[in-house]
C-alpha cells in the first residue's frame, strides 16, 4: 500500500505543479494581454485612483483634483474653467480628454515612461498590477500668459470669436481664447450630471465646446492680403510698393465678366502700399493672379496653409488655400475669399512671420513638462516651421502694416509709445454672403526701443452685430487686439 | 502490480513531541495574519485598524485553543498541521475583511470569525475526545447513510446561483455537501480497508483482466454512483468531481490495481461529456472555460471568469498589496468561490505560490501520516483526507485561473462559508489525531487495542476505550480480514514493496 499512497501523493504533486504553472501563465506571461483587454476596468480605475497632475499658467496651476470617494476616485477641477478651456480641454471620466489634457495625458496621469527617475527601476513602476509603469503624476507648464489670456477673453466679452497671441520670435502661444466658452469641470466625473452638461453644451447655439482658435476655420478676408503681398514681393511681381499698380476699379475677374468692387475708396490704380493700408480688393486680387497659382500655393503653404499635421501639441484644423483653380477663383482666393479658410492660429502665424523677419516659428503651447517634484522631463524649444518670405520682404511688409495702424483702417489698434503693425479684414460668408461678415484683425506690436516685436495676434469676431458698412476688422476686432498687445508690452516692460 | 495489503509496518522511529515548534509556528501564523489585517487598514485609510488587537486576540485565542487541545489530546501530533490551518484561516479572514470594505452593507468577516471559532471548538473536541481514529470504522454505514441524507436534502430547497447545494433554516444556510465529503471519506476508507484484499484478488478472470467480485464492488459502487448522481442533479459539479477523484484514488490505494485508474478516467470522461452536452448549466461553464472573453466580444461586458483572470493578471509577480486591488469587480462570489482571485491580485504570484505551498504542506503531512500509520483504515483515511484537500484546492484554483472549467466550491479555510470552515477544521482534527497515532511511541497499539490500552491515559469524553472490532460484520466482505496486518491474508504472495524508513 505504501507504494500506492506514494503514487497518490505524486499525483497531488502533479496537480500542484499544474496549478503553479497555470497561475504563472495568467499572472506573468499573459498579464499584459489581460490588462490590455478593453473590458478590463483596472487601467481606468488606476488612472483615476491618484490625483491628476496640473496644468500651469505662469507657474500657477489652473487645474486641480478633487477626491470624490467614488470608484473613479479623483475628478478634475478647474480654477478658471471657461477662461482656459481652449487651452486645457477637459479630462472627464465619461468623455475622455481633449487638447492639452489629452496631448500630455501620459505626464498628467503618470503613465509616461519619461516620468521614471531611473529608467530601469522606473520600468517596474509600483510593484504589480495596473500600477505597473505608473508614477506620481507630473505637471505641464504652458506658454500661456494669464494677462493676455484675460485681456483677450474680456475683450471678446462673450461674443462669438477667437483670439490667438504668439511670441513671434519663438512660436510660444501667449493667449488662446475661444468664446463663448464652457467650464470643463462640468464634464468631470460620472453619472447624470456630466451627461446632462454634455448634452446641454452640445446643443447650445453658441457651440461653447468648439475651440474656435484651433478647430474652426474662417474665410480670412482681407487679412490674407498680407500673404498675397508677401508672395508678390518675394516673386518680384512688385518691386516698388509705392508705384501705381495700374489695376482698374472695379477689376474684372480674369476670363469672366464679373467685376470685383472695392469697399475702400481711391483704389483705382493704387499702389500696393495704399492697397494694404485701405484694403483694396482689386489690387491684391490682380497681384494674386500675376503671381500665379503655383507660387501663391507655395507661399500659402510656407505660412502653414494646407498643413493637416500641425500640432500645438493638439491637432490644429487644416487651413485651406485651393491648389487647383482657375485664375478668376485665384483672384478671389488671393483676397481671402472663395475657398480660402484659416484658423485664427494660422492668421496669427501670418502676423508673426512678418514680425519675425519672414520666418514662421512653429507654434507651441507646452513649455515644460515636469515630474511631481519638479524635475524637468521635457522642455520645448524654438523650431522653425518654414521661411515664409525674405527678410527684406518682411521689413517692407512690416512698414506697410504699421501704416495700416497709423494712417489706415487699423487705427483702433494703435498703442501709445509702441510700434504696432496690423491688417484688418472683413470676411463675407453664408449663402450669397448674407451672413454677418466676420471681423478680423491680425497684427503685432513692438515696444519702443525693443529689438523685435513681442507679440503677434489674430482676432476674429463672428457676430459683430452692427450695420454692414460699419463692420470692419477695424471696428470690432482691432480694440481686442490692442488690449492683448498692450498687456503683452506691459508685461515685457515689467520684465525689463 | 499485485496488491500489497501486506506491507510490513515501517519501523517506528521515536520522534520528539515538537509542541514547542508548533507553538512558535502558531505565533508566526497569528502575527502574519495580524500583519495582513494591519496592511489592509494602512492601504485603505492610512491607519492601522483600531481593532487589530481584537482581531489578533481572537485569532490567538483560536490558535491557543487548538494548541492546548493538541498538547493534551495528541501530544505527538505533527507540529505543522495546526499552524498551517490557523494561518490559512487567518489569511482568509483578512481577505474577507478586505473585501467587506468594498461592500459595507454586506459584512461577512464577523460571521466567518464565528464559524471559525466553531470550527476550532469542534477541532478541539475531536482531538480530545476521539482517542483513536479506528473508532470511526464502526460508523462506516452510519456515516454513509448520513452523507447520502445530507446530499439529498438540498434537492428540496431552492437553487442558489444554479446549484441546489444549500439547506436554509431560518437565516442560516449551510452546504451539506461539505460535510458529506468527510463522511464519505470515512466510509470509503472503512469499506476498502475491510474489503480491499477481496477487491484485489477475487472475482472472475476475463481473459487477462481480473474483474472484481460484484458482491464486493457493488455497495461501494452504488454509494459512489448515488452521491455523484445526486450532485449532478444538484448541479454541484465541483463536489461530484471531488467524490469521483476521492473514490478512484482510494480504490487504487486499497487495491493497487492500475486498471481502476483507467476505468475511472474513462468513466469520468464519458460522464463529463454526457453531462456537459446535456446540461445547460454545465455546458455554459465549459463554454466559459473555453472562451472566457466571449461575452466581451458579444458586447455584454466581462463575465466572472474573465474578471477573475483580469484580477490574477493585475497581481503580476508581487501583487498590488493588500487592499489595493480591484477584485471586487468580480461581483457576488468574490468572497467565496473567487477569494483566490483577491489573493492572486493583492499578493501576486509570489503570495499565491506561498498559499499553494501551504496547502501542499498540509496535503503532504496528511500523506505522511498515512504512510506512517499501520492500520489500513488509518492509512486510507489519511490518504483520503489529504486527497480531498488536494483535489479541492485543485478544482477551485484551477477553475478560477482558467485551467479547468469553473465549479463552485469553497477554497478550504480561505473562502467565506461556514460549513466549509467547520468541515475543514474537523478534517485537520482527524489528521492531527492520526499523525499523533503515527508518531506516538509505544505502547504499540495492536490492530485490536484492548480497552485498557488507550494511547494516553486521560479523561476521554464519552465511553472511551471501547475497542474497535476488526472483522466486524461488514457485509460484502468476501474475505475475512486479517487479524494482523503483517500476515498476508489469503493465498496471495506478498509483493515486495519499498519500505519508507521514516
Amino acid at each position: 500500500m505504501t507504494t500506492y499512497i506514494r503514487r497518490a501523493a505524486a499525483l497531488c504533486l502533479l496537480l500542484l505543479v499544474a496549478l503553479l504553472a497555470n497561475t504563472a501563465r495568467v499572472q506573468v506571461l499573459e498579464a499584459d494581454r489581460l490588462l490590455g483587454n478593453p473590458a478590463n476596468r483596472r487601467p481606468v480605475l488606476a488612472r483615476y485612483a491618484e490625483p491628476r497632475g496640473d496644468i500651469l499658467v505662469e507657474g500657477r496651476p489652473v487645474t486641480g483634483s478633487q477626491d470624490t470617494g467614488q470608484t473613479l476616485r479623483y475628478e478634475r477641477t478647474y480654477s478658471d474653467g471657461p477662461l482656459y478651456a481652449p487651452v486645457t480641454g477637459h479630462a472627464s471620466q465619461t468623455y475622455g480628454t481633449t487638447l492639452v489634457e489629452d496631448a500630455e495625458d501620459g505626464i498628467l496621469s503618470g503613465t509616461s515612461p519619461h516620468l521614471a527617475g531611473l529608467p530601469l527601476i522606473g520600468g517596474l513602476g509600483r510593484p504589480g498590477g495596473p500600477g505597473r509603469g505608473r508614477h506620481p503624476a507630473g505637471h505641464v507648464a504652458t506658454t500661456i500668459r494669464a494677462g493676455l489670456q484675460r485681456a483677450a477673453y474680456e475683450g471678446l466679452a462673450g461674443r462669438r470669436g477667437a483670439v490667438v497671441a504668439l511670441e513671434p520670435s519663438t512660436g510660444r502661444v501667449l493667449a488662446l481664447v475661444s468664446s463663448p466658452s464652457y467650464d470643463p469641470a462640468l464634464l468631470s466625473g460620472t453619472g447624470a450630471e456630466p451627461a446632462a452638461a454634455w448634452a446641454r453644451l452640445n446643443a447650445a447655439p453658441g457651440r461653447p465646446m468648439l475651440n474656435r482658435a484651433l478647430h474652426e476655420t474662417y474665410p480670412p478676408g482681407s487679412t490674407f492680403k498680407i500673404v498675397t503681398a508677401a508672395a508678390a514681393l518675394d516673386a518680384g511681381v512688385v518691386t516698388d510698393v509705392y508705384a501705381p499698380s495700374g489695376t482698374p476699379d472695379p477689376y474684372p475677374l480674369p476670363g469672366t465678366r464679373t467685376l470685383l468692387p472695392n469697399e475702400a475708396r481711391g483704389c483705382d490704380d493704387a499702389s500696393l502700399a495704399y492697397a494694404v493700408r485701405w484694403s483694396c480688393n482689386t489690387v491684391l486680387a490682380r497681384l494674386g493672379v500675376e503671381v500665379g497659382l503655383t507660387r501663391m500655393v507655395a507661399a500659402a503653404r510656407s505660412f502653414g496653409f494646407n498643413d493637416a499635421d500641425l500640432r500645438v501639441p493638439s491637432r490644429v484644423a487644416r487651413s485651406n488655400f485651393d491648389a487647383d483653380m482657375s485664375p478668376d477663383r485665384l483672384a478671389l482666393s488671393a483676397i481671402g475669399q472663395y475657398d480660402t479658410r484659416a484658423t485664427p492660429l494660422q492668421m496669427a502665424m501670418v502676423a508673426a512671420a512678418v514680425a519675425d523677419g519672414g520666418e514662421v516659428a512653429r507654434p507651441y503651447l507646452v513649455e515644460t513638462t515636469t515630474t511631481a517634484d519638479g524635475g524637468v522631463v521635457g522642455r520645448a524649444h524654438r523650431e522653425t516651421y518654414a521661411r515664409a518670405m525674405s527678410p527684406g520682404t518682411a521689413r517692407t511688409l512690416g512698414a506697410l502694416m504699421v501704416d495700416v495702424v497709423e494712417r489706415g483702417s487699423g487705427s483702433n489698434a494703435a498703442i501709445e509709445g509702441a510700434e504696432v503693425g496690423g491688417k484688418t479684414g472683413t470676411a463675407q460668408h453664408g449663402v450669397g454672403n448674407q451672413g454677418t461678415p466676420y471681423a478680423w484683425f491680425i497684427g503685432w506690436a513692438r515696444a519702443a526701443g525693443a529689438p523685435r516685436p513681442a507679440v503677434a495676434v489674430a482676432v476674429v469676431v463672428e457676430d459683430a452685430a452692427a450695420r454692414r458698412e460699419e463692420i470692419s476688422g477695424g471696428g470690432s476686432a482691432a480694440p481686442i487686439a490692442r488690449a492683448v498687445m498692450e498687456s503683452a508690452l506691459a508685461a515685457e516692460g515689467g520684465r525689463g | 502490480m499485485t496488491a500489497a495489503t501486506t506491507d510490513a509496518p515501517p519501523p517506528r522511529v521515536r520522534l520528539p513531541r515538537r509542541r514547542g515548534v508548533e507553538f512558535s509556528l502558531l505565533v508566526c501564523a497569528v502575527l502574519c495574519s495580524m500583519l495582513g489585517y494591519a496592511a489592509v487598514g494602512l492601504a485603505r485609510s492610512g491607519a492601522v485598524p483600531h481593532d487589530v488587537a481584537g482581531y489578533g486576540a481572537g485569532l490567538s485565542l483560536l490558535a491557543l485553543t487548538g494548541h492546548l487541545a493538541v498538547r493534551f489530546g495528541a501530544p505527538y501530533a505533527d507540529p505543522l498541521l495546526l499552524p498551517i490551518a490557523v494561518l490559512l484561516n487567518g489569511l482568509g479572514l483578512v481577505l474577507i475583511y478586505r473585501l467587506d470594505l468594498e461592500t459595507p452593507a454586506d459584512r461577512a468577516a464577523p460571521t466567518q470569525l464565528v464559524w471559525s471559532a466553531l470550527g476550532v471548538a469542534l477541532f478541539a473536541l475531536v482531538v480530545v475526545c476521539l482517542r483513536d481514529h479506528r473508532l470511526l470504522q464502526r460508523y462506516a454505514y452510519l456515516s454513509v447513510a448520513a452523507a447520502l441524507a445530507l446530499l439529498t436534502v438540498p434537492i428540496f430547497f431552492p437553487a442558489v446561483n444554479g446549484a441546489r447545494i444549500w439547506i436554509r433554516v431560518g437565516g442560516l444556510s449551510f452546504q451539506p455537501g461539505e460535510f458529506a465529503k468527510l463522511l464519505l471519506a470515512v466510509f470509503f476508507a472503512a469499506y476498502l480497508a475491510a474489503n480491499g484484499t477481496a477487491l484485489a484478488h477475487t472475482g472472475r478472470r476475463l481473459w487477462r483482466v481480473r474483474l472484481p467480485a460484484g458482491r464486493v464492488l457493488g455497495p461501494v459502487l452504488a454509494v459512489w454512483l448515488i452521491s455523484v448522481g445526486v450532485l449532478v442533479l444538484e448541479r454541484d459539479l465541483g463536489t461530484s468531481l471531488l467524490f469521483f477523484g476521492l473514490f478512484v484514488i482510494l480504490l487504487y490505494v486499497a487495491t493497487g490495481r492500475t486498471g481502476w485508474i483507467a476505468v475511472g478516467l474513462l468513466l469520468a470522461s464519458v460522464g463529463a461529456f454526457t453531462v456537459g452536452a446535456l446540461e445547460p448549466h454545465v455546458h455554459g461553464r465549459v463554454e466559459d472555460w473555453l472562451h472566457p472573453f466571449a461575452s466581451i466580444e458579444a458586447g455584454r461586458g466581462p463575465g466572472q471568469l474573465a474578471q477573475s483572470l483580469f484580477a490574477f493578471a493585475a497581481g503580476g509577480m508581487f501583487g498590488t498589496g493588500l487592499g489595493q486591488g480591484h477584485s471586487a469587480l468580480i461581483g457576488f462570489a468574490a468572497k467565496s468561490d473567487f477569494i483566490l482571485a483577491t489573493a492572486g491580485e493583492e499578493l501576486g504570484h509570489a503570495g499565491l505560490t506561498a498559499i499553494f505551498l501551504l496547502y501542499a504542506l498540509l496535503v503532504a503531512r496528511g500523506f505522511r501520516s498515512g504512510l506512517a500509520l499501520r492500520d489500513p483504515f488509518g492509512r486510507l483515511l489519511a490518504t483520503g483526507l489529504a486527497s480531498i484537500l488536494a483535489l479541492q484546492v485543485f478544482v477551485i484554483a484551477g477553475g478560477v485561473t482558467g485551467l479547468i472549467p469553473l465549479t463552485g466550491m469553497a477554497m478550504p479555510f480561505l473562502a467565506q462559508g461556514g460549513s466549509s470552515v467547520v468541515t475543514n477544521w474537523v478534517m485537520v482534527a482527524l489528521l492531527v489525531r492520526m499523525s499523533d497515532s503515527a508518531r506516538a511511541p509505544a505502547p504499540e497499539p495492536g490492530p485490536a487495542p484492548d480497552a485498557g490500552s488507550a494511547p494516553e491515559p486521560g479523561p476521554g469524553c464519552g465511553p472511551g476505550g471501547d475497542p474497535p472490532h476488526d472483522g466486524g460484520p461488514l457485509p460484502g466482505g468476501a474475505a475475512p480480514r486479517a487479524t494482523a496486518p503483517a500476515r498476508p491474508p489469503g493465498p496471495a504472495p506478498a509483493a515486495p514493496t519499498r519500505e519508507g524508513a521514516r
Side-chain angles (χ1 to χ4, degrees):
Chain A
M1 199 186 269
T2 305
T3 319
Y4 311 135
I5 294 179
R6 282 179 197 284
R7 285 188 187 161
L11 170 76
C12 293
L13 183 66
L14 203 66
L15 296 184
L16 171 76
V17 170
L19 276 186
L20 287 177
N22 187 55
T23 47
R25 172 184 70 91
V26 173
Q27 296 195 273
V28 182
L29 296 180
E30 293 182 9
D32 288 337
R33 200 172 53 80
L34 287 165
L35 280 175
N37 188 308
N40 193 345
R41 290 191 69 212
R42 278 174 184 73
V44 179
L45 291 170
R47 172 193 178 91
Y48 295 109
E50 302 286 334
R52 190 170 169 81
D54 282 325
I55 297 174
L56 313 176
V57 170
E58 291 181 354
R60 279 188 296 278
V62 296
T63 57
S65 281
Q66 182 189 4
D67 186 353
T68 60
Q70 308 281 315
T71 331
L72 304 177
R73 198 166 152 189
Y74 282 93
E75 280 183 11
R76 192 52 141 178
T77 58
Y78 296 87
S79 58
D80 268 309
L83 176 62
Y84 291 109
V87 179
T88 59
H90 57 71
S92 156
Q93 275 90 329
T94 319
Y95 299 105
T97 52
T98 52
L99 302 173
V100 170
E101 293 272 32
D102 182 57
E104 296 296 345
D105 186 64
I107 298 285
L108 294 167
S109 64
T111 51
S112 167
H114 303 298
L115 287 169
L118 297 165
L120 285 175
I121 296 169
L124 294 170
R126 291 174 210 165
R132 269 180 293 195
R134 197 169 273 283
H135 316 276
H139 303 304
V140 173
T142 63
T143 56
I144 298 290
R145 299 241 187 89
L148 276 70
Q149 184 82 0
R150 205 168 282 283
Y153 187 74
E154 286 163 4
L156 280 168
R159 287 176 294 173
R160 294 181 198 182
V163 179
V164 177
L166 298 173
E167 185 168 67
S169 52
T170 58
R172 285 191 182 106
V173 180
L174 304 180
L176 192 78
V177 170
S178 171
S179 172
S181 189
Y182 73 105
D183 186 352
L186 293 174
L187 303 176
S188 295
T190 50
E193 285 173 43
W198 175 262
R200 190 166 43 77
L201 290 170
N202 274 311
R207 299 206 293 165
M209 288 192 8
L210 171 67
N211 187 339
R212 292 174 161 83
L214 299 179
H215 297 159
E216 180 68 303
T217 57
Y218 301 91
S222 303
T223 53
F224 191 79
K225 289 171 182 168
I226 299 296
V227 177
T228 308
L233 287 165
D234 261 10
V237 173
V238 176
T239 46
D240 180 0
V241 295
Y242 299 105
S245 61
T247 318
D249 178 11
Y251 165 67
L253 294 179
T256 67
R257 291 193 192 158
T258 312
L259 295 175
L260 178 68
N262 279 307
E263 301 279 328
R265 293 191 189 86
C267 289
D268 189 25
D269 195 20
S271 66
L272 178 59
Y274 185 91
V276 170
R277 189 185 310 152
W278 292 109
S279 209
C280 297
N281 292 338
T282 51
V283 178
L284 272 301
R286 181 168 156 270
L287 274 184
V289 175
E290 284 187 24
V291 170
L293 182 65
T294 315
R295 285 189 292 190
M296 272 306 290
V297 169
R301 180 69 188 79
S302 65
F303 280 98
F305 284 82
N306 298 346
D307 180 357
D309 299 327
L310 189 63
R311 291 171 181 277
V312 293
S314 44
R315 201 188 53 80
V316 180
R318 176 180 176 276
S319 302
N320 182 64
F321 186 82
D322 275 1
D324 182 17
M325 50 191 164
S326 53
D328 55 317
R329 289 178 175 165
L330 174 59
L332 287 175
S333 296
I335 56 167
Q337 304 278 355
Y338 188 56
D339 271 347
T340 306
R341 299 187 73 87
T343 58
L345 175 75
Q346 175 61 69
M347 292 323 289
M349 286 161 76
V350 171
V354 176
D356 195 39
E359 269 208 346
V360 183
R362 185 179 286 280
Y364 62 91
L365 248 177
V366 174
E367 190 69 59
T368 52
T369 49
T370 60
T371 59
D373 45 17
V376 174
V377 175
R379 191 187 292 283
H381 50 273
R382 182 190 191 282
E383 265 184 64
T384 301
Y385 175 77
R387 171 158 286 285
M389 62 192 112
S390 67
T393 300
R395 264 196 307 278
T396 311
L397 261 185
L400 295 188
M401 287 176 81
V402 171
D403 259 5
V404 171
V405 174
E406 289 184 352
R407 293 193 293 277
S409 58
S411 53
N412 282 338
I415 298 172
E416 194 70 36
E419 185 184 47
V420 179
K423 181 73 193 80
T424 57
T426 50
Q428 281 143 3
H429 68 104
V431 182
N433 292 340
Q434 286 311 294
T436 319
Y438 300 134
W440 273 100
F441 183 89
I442 66 172
W444 46 265
R446 182 168 67 89
R452 61 173 69 91
V455 61
V457 64
V459 178
V460 63
V461 183
E462 281 183 44
D463 46 357
R467 293 203 313 278
R468 264 301 285 274
E469 51 273 25
E470 279 197 12
I471 294 276
S472 71
S476 300
I480 302 173
R482 185 184 63 211
V484 173
M485 292 190 288
E486 271 181 334
S487 172
L489 296 181
E492 194 192 29
R495 276 204 296 275
Chain B
M1 200 69 219
T2 48
T5 45
T6 59
D7 300 339
R12 260 193 200 291
V13 179
R14 305 252 162 172
L15 283 169
R17 295 184 173 196
R18 298 270 185 238
R19 295 279 67 81
V21 173
E22 180 178 87
F23 186 77
S24 3
L25 286 174
L26 278 172
V27 170
C28 289
V30 171
L31 283 179
C32 263
S33 306
M34 283 173 73
L35 210 63
Y37 196 77
V40 172
L42 282 170
R44 299 299 293 233
S45 54
V48 175
H50 57 90
D51 54 355
V52 67
Y55 170 80
L59 200 62
S60 306
L61 192 68
L62 296 190
L64 199 65
T65 310
H67 178 67
L68 290 176
V70 173
R71 193 175 270 275
F72 295 112
Y76 292 94
D78 192 319
L80 273 181
L81 295 167
L82 180 64
I84 290 177
V86 167
L87 178 54
L88 286 170
N89 199 341
L91 191 60
L93 285 168
V94 167
L95 290 175
I96 292 169
Y97 163 77
R98 177 261 171 279
L99 284 167
D100 278 349
L101 297 177
E102 310 283 346
T103 55
D106 173 29
R107 312 245 348 240
T111 327
Q112 182 77 355
L113 189 57
V114 171
W115 282 113
S116 307
L118 185 65
V120 173
L122 276 177
F123 169 90
L125 201 70
V126 170
V127 169
V128 173
C129 296
L130 182 70
R131 307 305 308 172
D132 188 339
H133 60 269
R134 285 171 295 181
L135 284 168
L136 294 173
Q137 277 187 102
R138 289 192 214 161
Y139 304 112
Y141 287 100
L142 186 63
S143 60
V144 74
L148 292 180
L150 279 175
L151 283 176
T152 44
V153 166
I155 294 183
F156 306 109
F157 286 83
V160 179
N161 306 330
R164 292 176 189 273
I165 51 177
W166 297 91
I167 296 179
R168 288 186 179 279
V169 183
L172 287 177
S173 62
F174 70 106
Q175 268 176 292
E178 284 285 348
F179 210 76
K181 72 186 182 191
L182 187 62
L183 296 172
L184 273 184
V186 171
F187 167 73
F188 284 148
Y191 188 91
L192 293 172
N195 302 309
T197 327
L199 279 172
H201 300 289
T202 59
R204 292 187 199 83
R205 285 193 81 110
L206 186 70
W207 184 47
R208 286 178 57 191
V209 184
R210 188 192 296 276
L211 295 176
R215 280 181 310 139
V216 187
L217 191 57
V220 67
L221 202 59
V223 165
W224 171 73
L225 270 177
I226 290 170
S227 49
V228 171
V230 162
L231 291 171
V232 169
L233 278 181
E234 293 172 2
R235 297 176 177 168
D236 189 357
L237 289 172
T239 315
S240 58
L241 193 64
L242 179 69
F243 286 1
F244 182 84
L246 172 71
F247 179 63
V248 171
I249 288 179
L250 284 187
L251 207 52
Y252 171 72
V253 172
T255 62
R257 291 294 201 74
T258 327
W260 287 122
I261 297 177
V263 170
L265 287 176
L266 193 73
L267 278 177
S269 12
V270 169
F273 268 110
T274 321
V275 174
L278 299 179
E279 239 288 344
H281 177 73
V282 180
H283 184 70
R285 287 279 170 91
V286 175
E287 280 298 312
D288 246 8
W289 168 62
L290 290 172
H291 313 288
F293 304 119
S295 63
I296 297 172
E297 283 147 25
R300 292 195 306 275
Q304 273 198 306
L305 182 57
Q307 287 284 28
S308 169
L309 291 175
F310 289 162
F312 279 106
M317 188 50 91
F318 300 107
T320 58
L322 278 169
Q324 296 177 62
H326 297 289
S327 48
L329 291 170
I330 292 169
F332 69 88
K335 296 174 196 174
S336 48
D337 295 11
F338 287 96
I339 190 122
L340 208 60
T342 303
E345 177 168 10
E346 304 197 343
L347 304 174
H349 187 56
L352 206 56
T353 305
I355 290 174
F356 286 154
L357 288 180
L358 285 176
Y359 283 117
L361 266 176
L362 211 52
V363 171
R365 290 296 170 151
F367 277 116
R368 203 168 169 173
S369 305
L371 285 169
L373 278 168
R374 313 153 92 214
D375 63 300
F377 170 70
R379 309 192 89 184
L380 285 171
L381 184 59
T383 304
L385 295 181
S387 305
I388 286 179
L389 202 60
L391 286 172
Q392 197 164 350
V393 169
F394 176 76
V395 167
I396 308 156
V400 295
T401 54
L403 182 63
I404 56 171
L406 182 65
T407 55
M409 255 205 297
M411 200 75 189
F413 294 110
L414 279 187
Q416 171 199 7
S419 358
S420 160
V421 169
V422 170
T423 309
N424 286 309
W425 271 113
V426 174
M427 273 172 59
V428 171
L430 290 179
L431 286 175
V432 163
R433 163 55 52 224
M434 286 189 285
S435 73
D436 176 62
S437 335
R439 294 157 50 105
E444 192 85 7
D450 301 328
S453 66
E456 279 288 309
C461 321
D466 215 359
H469 286 291
D470 295 324
L474 281 171
R481 269 190 69 244
T483 40
R487 218 179 302 143
T497 52
R498 285 186 298 126
E499 295 300 352
R502 297 217 179 281

